[in-house]
Amino acid sequence: MAIPVPLQTRATPATAAPLERFNTAPAAEAAGTLLTCLHSHAWTRRLVAHRPYPDLPALLAAADEAAYDLSPEDLAEALTAETRPALPEDTYAAAHTALNAAHAAYESRFGHVFVISLAGLSPDETLNHVLTAIRSRLNNDPDEERLVTAEELRHLAKTRLSNAL
């Protein structure tokens, strides 16, 4: 009696999870990914140096901690790569005019682009949220606004990093 031989199949190799790819990528590639999340070389070097991360929450916690340690020069570097928050496509012209004026006033007062995290907001809420925040933050003194801006950059970096991985 012949013993049946199990059928052998050629299994498709599993693709690596995004975090695993990040952890094992060459340093320059991992740095490129991080710089799209927050354009700070100090922040990027720190996160790349501490790989591998066991899970995404650990990476996000490390990213947050590294962002708290950024110097004013590091924050200025990060701000150079930021763009104004995008408005929904169907926003009317008067809103664009009001927002452009608010952005110009902000940039004149603080010397950098206005940054804000819009994570979790619906497109309908975006315009009012941005206008309210920019008008409110125009009343901040430069030191207070630097702290608010750093916090917004931390939120943006974590959201972008979560989306990237």
Side-chain angles (χ1 to χ4, degrees), residues 52-124:
Y53 296 94
D55 53 31
L56 186 57
L59 173 58
L60 295 176
D64 206 38
E65 183 180 326
Y68 277 110
D69 294 339
L70 294 177
S71 70
E73 293 78 21
D74 298 328
L75 289 173
E77 176 191 25
L79 286 167
T80 62
E82 291 298 322
T83 59
R84 292 177 174 179
L87 291 178
E89 288 182 26
D90 62 347
T91 303
Y92 54 94
H96 281 283
T97 302
L99 194 55
N100 286 337
H103 278 293
Y106 181 92
E107 290 170 16
S108 174
R109 175 153 167 72
F110 297 111
H112 60 80
V113 69
F114 174 76
V115 292
I116 188 167
S117 174
L118 300 173
L121 292 178
S122 72
D124 294 339

Side-chain angles (χ1 to χ4, degrees), residues 83 85 114-119 129-130 133-134 137 152-153 156:
T83 59
F114 174 76
V115 292
I116 188 167
S117 174
L118 300 173
H129 185 74
V130 171
I134 199 168
R137 287 170 55 185
E152 291 295 334
L153 283 171
L156 287 168

Side-chain angles (χ1 to χ4, degrees), residues 99 102-103 105-106 109-110 114-116 127-142 144-145 148-149 152:
L99 194 55
H103 278 293
Y106 181 92
R109 175 153 167 72
F110 297 111
F114 174 76
V115 292
I116 188 167
L127 175 62
N128 285 338
H129 185 74
V130 171
L131 276 172
T132 300
I134 199 168
R135 287 178 180 150
S136 170
R137 287 170 55 185
L138 275 167
N139 295 318
N140 291 347
D141 66 55
E144 185 180 6
E145 183 55 23
V148 173
T149 298
E152 291 295 334

